[in-house]
Amino acid sequence: MGMNRREFLQLLAIASAGGFALHDNEVRAAESAAQLYELPRYGNVSLLHITDCHAQLNPIYYREPHTNLGIAGMRGNPPHLVDDAFLKRFAISGGSPQAHAYTSLDFAEAARIYGKVGGFAHLATLVKQIRASRPGSLLLDGGDTWQGSGTALWTQGQDMIEACMALGVDIMTLHWECTYGAERVKQAEEGAMKGRIEVVAQNVKTADFGDPVFKPYVIREINHVPVAIIGQAFPYSPIAHPRYFMPDWSFGIQEESLQANIDEARGKGAQIVVLLSHNGMDVDIKLASRVRGLDAILGGHTHDGIPEPISVNNPGGATLVTNAGSNGKFLGVLDFDVKAGKMSGFRYKLLPVFANLLTADAGMAAVIKKHRAPYEAKLSEKLATTDALLYRRGNFNGSFDQLILDALMREKDAPIAFSPGFRWGTTLLPGDTITMEDLLNQTAITYPMTTVNEMSGAQIKTILEDVCDNLFNPDPYYQQGGDMVRVGGLEYTCEPGAAMGGRIQDMRLAGKPVDPGKIYKVAGWAPVSEAARDKGGEPIWDLVARYLRHEKVVKVAKPNVPALKGVAGNPGMA
């Protein structure tokens, strides 16, 4: 059972008195927590923003990355700041609730004090509170909403669709939603969501004639101010995922199309124009410098919780770029003051959703209970316990990723394993029970097949180089926003700032150099080819569940990360 606000604040005071540096003193700690959700109304146009919740209907733990390297012009700039560098950049006090929300510092200890974050029932309470003071406000969903849990997988996202309608989402765009298949997405758009939630995506068109698949934008009046919301789905969906899920759709960034839609919306009288984006923050920052007429980009995909908008200059003036984190952990609130037909001022606040500070909304709790009930027994199966902090997020590896790699190598009898660099997946504290639900929170996708392949040393290097370029290409338009493929068994050196083909160095297996001409057995999962689909393969959750049942207590070794070159002093690395 969750604590109420008074109990939570009492616990903060006790923790501070006991030596945990939550803030300068317990009084200030309690005050800062109590004031988190005091947000006076500003202006006459308000937009609320969630993104990348990855189907997490209940409160969870979610550790922010300790490695988020930026290179070239991105080095040292948001979102490529972590821990102390992040706190310094945004003037956040160490030990505060905000410090815990935005960083990985003392995570396990702080999580036991502050409790879990997110949960749609708690988010619903906050949304209602904010909207009560902002009549006419819109709630925008940046995508990656229908995927990331067992119940979302088994219901093809229906649990999330109903939860979002209950939450009051007005407009959304897409990414992982497309991995349920084009037919399912259109069925939901034209069925359950019709008249409730509008899907916008200016960059999704038919592959044959280039016709729009979704509305490129909508114009809504907020307090007599016409506001245009343009959608930008993830540009690389058919590359990052199996093409067979959306064979007749084309994607891409499509700058010219975006500019045309901005101009058209302005021509129809829109006084505020906002892009609801799933590009990733680096892409959004570059895009904002190249198109004119956008007041703001409400961004997602890279899971970066950024407390303040980044103002980006462009030929038409400036555009505010935001990113609202992930897993239901944050609610962004962007207020505009519109006078004489244009924006004259703004206020922005990214609110951490601490479940202990927000009463669960009864109506949303009922929706969640309805969808979980048929699967509760399966979700609650106890597989093992962990003696370590299990997390995923980080450029190179996480302890839950390492657990998956260890399971693949043992169950497939392979000396090397690869696991995708997904940025979604919840966190478990030391001593926690690992349930089937926890495992599905790391693995629930529609192409979960495990694989075993024979690869030459040269092929292994090529794969690692390709993924590394996706992460560290100096041009954001060539980045897809995930993290580096997780690697088990194989040791290597990575130089993020090197040129393509030269970032992966000194690959070794069992201490011996990897021979480019030798064949190695490599286990993996989540293949994107049709051949792999047709061949089939055990779902990754079944394989890891078997491994966990055998282990009983998981003693996760230090995640296998590469030796890094050329990153000394980079503020994107703790």
Side-chain angles (χ1 to χ4, degrees):
M1 180 178 295
M3 294 177 286
N4 60 35
R5 179 185 287 252
R6 177 179 296 177
E7 291 168 335
F8 181 53
L9 297 180
Q10 287 174 343
L11 182 56
L12 289 181
I14 292 169
S16 183
F20 186 76
L22 295 172
H23 211 298
D24 294 345
N25 56 59
E26 63 264 28
V27 175
R28 289 182 62 193
E31 286 176 350
S32 63
Q35 293 170 2
L36 276 177
Y37 306 125
E38 294 178 5
L39 197 61
R41 181 181 177 182
Y42 173 83
N44 50 359
V45 170
S46 294
L47 302 174
L48 281 60
H49 179 221
I50 59 171
T51 191
D52 298 273
C53 72
H54 284 288
Q56 295 305 312
L57 287 174
N58 282 333
I60 49 101
Y61 296 113
Y62 183 77
R63 177 187 181 274
E64 299 298 330
H66 64 282
T67 307
N68 189 1
L69 292 169
I71 61 162
M74 293 161 279
R75 186 186 189 278
N77 294 313
H80 302 289
L81 301 166
V82 299
D83 291 353
D84 291 326
F86 187 101
L87 299 183
K88 182 178 180 180
R89 168 63 175 79
F90 292 105
I92 297 172
S93 298
S96 65
Q98 292 92 334
H100 174 54
Y102 288 114
T103 73
S104 68
L105 293 168
D106 300 312
F107 183 83
E109 296 87 347
R112 295 192 191 281
I113 300 300
Y114 290 108
K116 294 184 176 182
V117 294
F120 262 50
H122 305 274
L123 177 62
T125 295
L126 182 57
V127 167
K128 288 180 177 179
Q129 176 182 320
I130 299 298
R131 293 188 106 166
S133 65
R134 289 162 169 77
S137 60
L138 296 177
L139 177 57
L140 311 179
D141 174 3
D144 276 6
T145 302
W146 304 357
Q147 178 277 332
S149 73
T151 55
L153 180 68
W154 298 327
T155 65
Q156 290 194 298
Q158 190 63 32
D159 64 332
M160 299 310 304
I161 291 168
E162 293 188 24
C164 285
M165 290 191 294
L167 190 64
V169 170
D170 295 291
I171 302 164
M172 71 175 293
T173 196
L174 305 163
H175 173 209
W176 273 92
E177 288 78 8
C178 296
T179 64
Y180 291 111
E183 183 178 352
R184 170 56 177 150
V185 173
K186 294 301 288 184
Q187 176 195 54
E189 182 205 19
E190 297 167 2
M193 299 193 311
K194 189 173 183 179
R196 301 283 298 277
I197 301 176
E198 293 197 80
V199 180
V200 290
Q202 72 88 25
N203 61 328
V204 182
K205 301 175 182 179
T206 59
D208 49 8
F209 298 111
D211 296 325
V213 175
F214 305 99
K215 293 179 182 178
Y217 64 88
V218 296
I219 296 179
R220 298 281 189 92
E221 278 208 358
I222 303 177
N223 299 317
H224 308 294
V225 177
V227 177
I229 308 297
I230 302 174
Q232 179 85 351
F234 180 52
Y236 306 110
S237 294
I239 301 171
H241 306 289
R243 177 68 183 169
Y244 55 76
F245 287 133
M246 53 212 108
D248 302 319
W249 295 354
S250 68
F251 290 75
I253 295 172
Q254 300 194 22
E255 272 187 15
E256 292 183 5
S257 172
L258 174 59
Q259 188 64 68
N261 280 296
I262 295 169
D263 295 343
E264 182 178 290
R266 291 284 185 188
K268 290 181 178 179
Q271 296 175 13
I272 292 290
V273 180
V274 169
L275 183 68
L276 179 61
S277 166
H278 205 91
N279 282 330
M281 193 162 184
D282 286 332
V283 176
D284 282 336
I285 289 172
K286 179 177 178 178
L287 185 66
S289 74
R290 294 167 62 89
V291 299
R292 64 191 181 279
L294 283 176
D295 293 292
I297 298 177
L298 297 179
H301 180 56
T302 40
H303 294 195
D304 303 302
I306 305 297
E308 300 171 5
I310 307 303
S311 183
V312 179
N313 293 327
N314 56 58
T319 297
L320 304 172
V321 177
T322 74
N323 202 289
S326 66
N327 288 270
K329 187 177 179 179
F330 297 100
L331 174 68
V333 182
L334 178 58
D335 295 324
F336 289 113
D337 190 20
V338 181
K339 295 178 179 177
K342 63 180 182 179
M343 190 261 285
S344 64
F346 75 92
R347 298 285 187 275
Y348 180 77
K349 192 76 171 180
L350 187 59
L351 300 172
V353 182
F354 286 109
N356 284 336
L357 283 178
L358 296 161
T359 304
D361 178 79
M364 183 64 77
V367 172
I368 296 170
K369 183 178 180 180
K370 180 187 79 169
H371 283 287
R372 289 179 60 87
Y375 310 106
E376 198 66 59
K378 187 172 183 178
L379 292 170
S380 61
E381 181 191 354
K382 297 178 180 179
L383 301 174
T385 58
T386 177
D387 72 347
L389 181 71
L390 293 181
Y391 63 90
R392 167 168 282 169
R393 185 75 169 84
N395 280 162
F396 294 101
N397 205 350
S399 50
F400 215 124
D401 295 297
Q402 188 63 49
L403 187 160
I404 293 171
L405 292 166
D406 291 345
L408 280 166
M409 289 187 289
R410 193 182 78 181
E411 296 296 317
K412 295 296 187 182
D413 190 25
I416 301 172
F418 290 161
S419 186
F422 295 143
R423 292 191 171 189
W424 50 273
T426 59
T427 301
L428 293 177
L429 303 184
D432 279 356
T433 298
I434 307 171
T435 65
M436 179 58 78
E437 180 169 20
D438 297 321
L439 175 55
L440 288 164
N441 285 346
Q442 309 287 332
T443 58
I445 64 174
T446 54
Y447 51 107
M449 300 79 75
T450 54
T451 61
V452 175
N453 292 293
E454 292 189 340
M455 298 181 185
S456 69
Q459 288 175 315
I460 291 171
K461 184 177 189 298
T462 296
I463 290 171
L464 295 180
E465 288 282 5
D466 285 347
V467 180
C468 202
D469 189 63
N470 164 55
L471 181 60
F472 294 119
N473 193 296
D475 185 343
Y477 278 13
Y478 290 93
Q479 299 174 7
Q480 293 178 20
D483 281 315
M484 185 62 183
V485 61
R486 281 57 169 119
V487 180
L490 184 74
E491 296 178 342
Y492 67 101
T493 295
C494 177
E495 186 175 358
M500 172 65 173
R503 294 188 180 96
I504 305 301
Q505 306 163 15
D506 193 27
M507 297 191 305
R508 292 177 178 270
L509 184 62
K512 297 180 180 180
V514 170
D515 184 342
K518 185 177 178 180
I519 301 300
Y520 298 88
K521 185 179 180 181
V522 181
W525 68 286
V528 299
S529 71
E530 289 190 50
R533 176 199 61 186
D534 295 341
K535 183 178 179 181
E538 180 182 27
I540 184 64
W541 52 77
D542 284 347
L543 180 148
V544 179
R546 184 169 63 250
Y547 172 84
L548 289 172
R549 293 184 191 109
H550 177 268
E551 290 295 302
K552 294 185 175 58
V553 177
V554 175
K555 299 182 181 297
V556 179
K558 183 179 179 181
N560 179 38
V561 298
L564 297 176
K565 290 177 63 175
V567 297
N570 193 307
M573 184 173 64

